[in-house]
Amino acid sequence: MAKYSGLDTTPLFQPQVANFPQGMVVSVPLFTSWLAEGTTGEKIHRVLAEHYKDSTFVTVMPRGVQADLLERGVFLRPDTLQNTNRMELFVFDNDQDGKVMLSARLDNLGKGASGAAVQNLNLALGLDETTGL
């Protein structure tokens, strides 16, 4: 990830594994000191929201824990998007401490390689992106 992000140090990659048939949450913790000066959680969220605003399958969720999206106020349920080709992106930040947690929730069997293959084939053939998904 450092190669493509231009960071001097590699971020921590933190997949979460538990006892459920499908679904996953992948989180990347970052320090804002690693990023361009003035980068905040709010700015990261705004850039992601703008980039994915017209996306059929990717939704940028409201920012932070104040958005009340956590199961029992503590964690993201990995199996929420089960049997879909959707992905939800989350930004949890503490600008005072210079920390940002980027998380993605997806069904690894739906949005995984097979779903991506069908989606890309649809685009390559000029079909609606959602065909067969």
Side-chain angles (χ1 to χ4, degrees):
M1 195 177 286
K3 175 181 176 183
Y4 298 105
S5 66
L7 298 174
D8 293 331
T9 46
T10 56
L12 295 170
F13 179 71
Q14 179 183 337
Q16 299 167 358
V17 180
N19 186 20
F20 45 86
Q22 58 195 88
M24 65 188 298
V25 174
V26 179
S27 298
V28 180
L30 298 170
F31 291 97
T32 55
S33 62
W34 295 353
L35 308 172
E37 188 173 333
T39 299
T40 64
E42 189 275 327
K43 287 181 181 178
I44 292 170
H45 184 267
R46 187 172 59 239
V47 167
L48 288 172
E50 177 62 27
H51 182 77
Y52 289 106
K53 71 180 178 192
D54 296 323
S55 176
T56 302
F57 296 113
V58 179
T59 303
V60 178
M61 304 303 286
R63 178 173 150 246
V65 294
Q66 68 274 12
D68 198 30
L69 299 168
L70 301 177
E71 180 77 15
R72 290 179 267 168
V74 181
F75 65 94
L76 289 171
R77 282 191 64 95
D79 56 354
T80 302
L81 299 178
Q82 193 168 311
N83 299 316
T84 74
N85 189 53
R86 294 180 41 231
M87 178 184 293
E88 295 175 339
L89 299 177
F90 299 83
V91 177
F92 301 101
D93 60 275
N94 181 334
D95 288 332
Q96 187 175 21
D97 289 340
K99 297 176 184 174
V100 178
M101 177 74 74
L102 304 177
S103 296
R105 176 166 51 192
L106 65 146
D107 178 349
N108 53 313
L109 299 180
K111 187 71 177 159
S114 60
V118 172
Q119 189 174 346
N120 287 326
L121 184 61
N122 288 341
L123 293 172
L125 295 175
L127 301 172
D128 182 86
E129 180 181 22
T130 64
T131 302
L133 298 171

